[in-house]
Amino acid sequence: MHAETIELEEGTRVELWARGPGAIRALIDGVVVWQVPALSEHPGYYKYHHREACAVTFEWDEPESILWVYSWEPGRVEDCGITVWEFGATGITRRTGTEIDAWMRADTKRPGLHFSPIRQWMNDPNGLCRIGETWHLFYQFHPSGTDWGPMHWGHAVSTDLFHWTHMPVFLHPEQNCWQLGATGGAFSGNAFRDRDGAQMFFYTERLPAYDLFSGYREIQKLARPGRGLVTAESITTVLETRPDGVEHDFRDPKVWWDAVRGEYRMILGASLDGDPAVLLYGSENLLDWRYLGPLYRAPARFRGEGARAVECPDFFEIDGKWVLVMGFVGHTDPVSGRHNLLYALVGDFRDDRFVPDNDALQLLDFGTDFYAMQSCAADGRQIAFAWLFNWEDRKPPGSPYSGEMSLPRELSLDASGRLCMAPAREFEALARERGEVRDGAAALPDAPFDLVLTGGLEGARITATQAGGTSFEVGVTDGVLWVRLPQDDGRIRYDARIAPEADLRVVHDRGIIEIFADGGAVCGTRRNYKHTSPDALTVTTNGRATISHPEA
């Protein structure tokens, strides 16, 4: 058995996820004060609360059995975050604050500008909010491995949207899904302040499920946080009954206060008689919810194209107009072959009815790696993140984590009423001096770059290479903006039509390509795992090309 003695402060919490074989225990002066004498063959969650400042000896059998472990101190966690532990054959390595940052940056495959978890699996952003000067980003998290599994809410905080402090897990599944051989857990939801300013979170709990595509049960819960939003202090189930015509998909609440109606409102993603739909609910007290009817129901063609339901709907107001954002789970666009797409509608919301200005859905991203977007209003802006991932292009094995977030994006409406996205203004503060790409070529350091093309874009082409191998290509041909990665074989089209005098911005960060054009009304996001550190750039353009190397 391995052992190491560590000094711990009074009140320290140690939280860990582990599976058998083996055991783990804590001793003070040779006396066992906490133990798991036989780890289960299924992953399990365990916690140790240290009562007084002193030395503690930890003993463990198999380092591989300890899947994810950290500690935190209640009096310091809001400033310092968690301390990550790694159990090895020769001892325990602990990292906190800048030590975690340095360890993450040492991974030459990990993007530097885009948020990622320290370890394990991450997907949808949740609970995005700003409290005082601090941004809170919650996210779907599986602490027991780098693949999708029973869902928790991870948590990180930042004052600038780019430098993050990692916090304890905020929400856990209602039941031990691993032990039940099931999936489920704390699914997506949003942050919300009530009329009195109390902070809370609404989310979906998927009860233990044994089929990923049918027969599961999803309910809505309200979580009230403790001090500093470190843990959920109380959790209340507020909605279990589905309306007629709604099957198993009943998820991802977005809650707000409707000042005109003098009540709370909530939308949920679902399907009605097989058509993807967004449902509208009302409440006077946040606990008792009544169904008001569908806010939106997708045209029948989406069901025919494989769409099973709406998920991760967002609904917010910009400049007096209401914007509905949603993904159609299971949908594949028959023309381009793309899936994992997000759409938006802009219109008016009156008397609990959403009336779009135009029935044509706006495609928010033509790249298929920008999904489950969530936004929040703060500082007079609408800020959004999305999960940057595509189920078809999985990360190569061997990485300590899976999943990244997009750059934080600032949302706006243009003169045509289109929803536009651009890197949040905090991104500009990271930029170094912008230089011109001369003679159409540039040598690249192993660092992110931000390339801007102005002037006529027709015929423009951007090619990034690493040791001669293509990292990515972006171009404009006959008024169509396109992006191509090494693995693309032409079966799926990643392109979008742009205006003749459109602008173009390409941000690259170790395999992540984010494209912004036409004032941000046309965006494309791709995730590449080949040649992720390009060393040369070639630009063909009739206009001007400038480049900067932002650094977080």
Side-chain angles (χ1 to χ4, degrees):
M1 179 170 277
H2 311 287
E4 180 159 336
T5 300
I6 295 174
E7 293 285 340
L8 292 182
E9 295 298 320
E10 179 183 355
T12 298
R13 273 75 161 171
V14 181
E15 301 186 45
L16 62 94
W17 287 259
R19 67 186 304 169
I24 182 171
R25 62 180 63 93
L27 304 91
I28 298 177
D29 295 331
V31 177
V32 174
V33 294
W34 175 85
Q35 67 175 332
V36 185
L39 292 168
S40 168
E41 62 176 311
H42 307 287
Y45 166 64
Y46 308 94
K47 54 185 177 181
Y48 165 61
H49 186 173
H50 187 63
R51 300 298 179 178
E52 58 186 77
C54 66
V56 184
T57 300
F58 287 89
E59 297 181 342
W60 65 99
D61 289 316
E62 302 290 341
E64 294 78 12
S65 296
I66 314 299
L67 305 174
W68 173 236
V69 57
Y70 58 81
S71 63
W72 56 281
E73 299 172 25
R76 302 177 63 234
V77 66
E78 293 180 54
D79 297 321
C80 303
I82 61 174
T83 297
V84 176
W85 297 29
E86 290 185 20
F87 285 75
T90 59
I92 300 173
T93 300
R94 295 189 296 164
R95 299 183 181 93
T96 191
T98 57
E99 297 168 328
I100 294 175
D101 294 340
W103 180 84
M104 294 174 70
R105 291 181 185 278
D107 181 351
T108 59
K109 299 293 185 182
R110 187 189 294 257
L113 299 175
H114 293 74
F115 177 83
S116 58
I118 302 170
R119 286 188 176 274
Q120 313 303 47
W121 170 274
M122 177 187 76
N123 53 289
D124 306 358
N126 296 146
L128 182 63
C129 59
R130 188 183 186 193
I131 300 175
E133 297 300 313
T134 301
W135 295 93
H136 291 260
L137 173 64
F138 299 84
Y139 52 90
Q140 296 281 270
F141 182 57
H142 179 214
S144 289
T146 55
D147 287 316
W148 187 87
M151 285 289 98
H152 301 58
W153 275 28
H155 181 199
V157 297
S158 174
T159 57
D160 66 0
L161 294 170
F162 285 95
H163 299 87
W164 294 92
T165 298
H166 297 267
M167 303 292 282
V169 168
F170 182 71
L171 289 176
H172 296 253
E174 180 181 284
Q175 300 182 51
N176 186 332
C177 294
W178 301 290
Q179 189 174 33
L180 297 173
T183 62
F187 275 38
S188 293
N190 80 304
F192 173 69
R193 282 187 182 273
D194 68 10
R195 287 173 294 176
D196 300 322
Q199 185 70 51
M200 62 193 69
F201 300 86
F202 286 83
Y203 71 100
T204 295
E205 176 90 32
R206 179 177 285 187
L207 301 180
Y210 300 89
D211 189 318
L212 290 177
F213 303 102
S214 65
Y216 43 80
R217 185 68 182 267
E218 295 178 334
I219 62 176
Q220 316 313 316
K221 292 185 171 183
L222 184 161
R224 297 184 184 273
R227 187 176 64 180
L229 276 67
V230 178
T231 59
E233 193 170 78
S234 67
I235 296 174
T236 305
T237 298
V238 296
L239 182 59
E240 295 187 84
T241 303
R242 301 183 295 247
D244 292 340
V246 176
E247 295 186 16
H248 33 269
D249 292 297
F250 185 59
R251 64 171 77 165
D252 310 333
K254 174 68 181 283
V255 178
W256 72 98
W257 168 252
D258 189 315
V260 175
R261 310 301 290 179
E263 285 192 343
Y264 299 100
R265 291 293 182 263
M266 172 171 65
I267 59 169
L268 292 168
S271 64
L272 278 174
D273 300 317
D275 291 330
V278 178
L279 311 181
L280 180 65
Y281 280 79
S283 175
E284 297 179 352
N285 57 15
L286 294 174
L287 298 175
D288 302 298
W289 293 89
R290 65 188 186 280
Y291 180 48
L292 301 176
L295 184 81
Y296 173 80
R297 184 167 182 165
R301 72 173 179 87
F302 281 96
R303 175 172 42 170
E305 294 165 3
R308 190 175 79 235
V310 167
E311 62 180 349
C312 301
D314 199 358
F315 195 48
F316 52 88
E317 190 175 10
I318 296 182
D319 298 334
K321 303 296 287 188
W322 282 82
V323 181
L324 176 63
V325 176
M326 53 195 161
F328 296 155
V329 60
H331 175 244
T332 299
D333 177 59
V335 176
S336 66
R338 295 189 298 254
H339 60 97
N340 225 39
L341 300 176
L342 274 183
Y343 296 95
L345 286 169
V346 178
D348 295 310
F349 181 61
R350 297 193 188 98
D351 298 325
D352 288 329
R353 292 183 66 242
F354 175 58
V355 181
D357 294 339
N358 189 323
D359 289 336
L361 291 162
Q362 177 188 346
L363 177 64
L364 288 187
D365 195 287
F366 65 86
T368 73
D369 285 295
F370 184 88
Y371 196 68
M373 187 188 87
Q374 182 173 105
S375 71
C376 76
D379 192 28
R381 300 181 290 161
Q382 197 77 19
I383 299 296
F385 284 91
W387 180 37
L388 209 154
F389 189 85
N390 188 321
W391 290 101
E392 298 299 317
D393 298 312
R394 302 302 296 273
K395 192 169 188 181
S399 175
Y401 79 100
S402 182
E404 292 107 5
M405 294 298 176
S406 68
L407 290 175
R409 298 188 182 184
E410 198 162 329
L411 309 182
S412 62
L413 298 178
D414 68 9
S416 299
R418 297 179 298 178
L419 183 63
C420 299
M421 300 187 287
R425 66 188 63 166
E426 287 83 353
F427 180 69
E428 310 303 333
L430 306 178
R432 298 179 178 178
E433 184 178 355
R434 184 171 290 278
E436 193 159 353
V437 179
R438 299 187 181 278
D439 301 320
L444 297 175
D446 184 11
F449 66 82
D450 175 16
L451 179 70
V452 174
L453 270 60
T454 54
L457 292 180
E458 181 59 43
R461 181 183 291 258
I462 302 162
T463 303
T465 58
Q466 181 176 345
T470 300
S471 295
F472 70 89
E473 291 182 289
V474 174
V476 179
T477 306
D478 297 329
V480 175
L481 171 64
W482 51 266
V483 58
R484 185 178 300 124
L485 300 185
Q487 66 266 26
D488 292 345
D489 58 12
R491 289 181 295 177
I492 301 176
R493 285 174 35 205
Y494 301 99
D495 58 24
R497 185 160 292 279
I498 58 173
E501 297 302 321
D503 52 280
L504 177 61
R505 183 177 196 174
V506 178
V507 179
H508 179 267
D509 183 16
R510 283 185 172 161
I512 293 176
I513 304 101
E514 294 194 60
I515 302 167
F516 305 89
D518 234 350
V522 177
C523 298
T525 306
R526 300 291 306 276
R527 181 62 165 102
N528 179 35
Y529 299 108
K530 297 179 181 178
H531 309 310
T532 59
S533 298
D535 51 34
L537 186 70
T538 303
V539 181
T540 301
T541 179
N542 293 321
R544 183 169 180 255
T546 61
I547 192 169
S548 172
H549 294 283
E551 184 177 1

